[in-house]
Amino acid sequence: MAELTERDRAVLELEGRGWRTAGAKEQAIRQELGISATRYYQLLNALLDRAEALAHAPVLVNRLRRVRQQRREAR
């Protein structure tokens, strides 16, 4: 099993925060990770399928997996 990279852990940590204002999360993505919001969500989506991410942040990953599944079923 491969380990999470520092960036992988940073993506999960950032996703786990609460965001009070619109745009604050996207600004943090650019400032802290140096990537676009689109790339961030691509990375996050890929992380949700990894056992390492589940082991690192089980509550967050399981919640995001449920949200993703609900969105797929709503299509």
Side-chain angles (χ1 to χ4, degrees):
M1 183 163 56
E3 291 191 28
L4 295 177
T5 65
E6 187 175 323
R7 182 173 70 173
D8 293 339
R9 288 188 298 276
V11 167
L12 290 171
E13 188 273 326
L14 196 141
E15 187 61 27
R17 291 188 211 164
W19 302 100
R20 294 181 180 198
T21 61
K25 182 177 182 179
E26 286 72 18
Q27 184 176 359
I29 291 167
R30 285 190 304 276
Q31 288 179 343
E32 296 177 28
L33 302 176
I35 59 176
S36 70
T38 300
R39 182 67 183 136
Y40 169 83
Y41 288 110
Q42 290 170 340
L43 292 169
L44 179 61
N45 192 49
L47 277 170
L48 296 183
D49 296 324
R50 294 185 52 200
E52 300 87 357
L54 181 61
H56 180 76
V59 174
L60 175 66
V61 170
N62 279 324
R63 179 175 58 82
L64 294 173
R65 284 178 175 179
R66 281 192 304 275
V67 169
R68 181 175 67 178
Q69 186 60 37
Q70 289 169 350
R71 287 181 180 159
R72 286 179 178 168
E73 291 170 359
R75 290 182 184 169

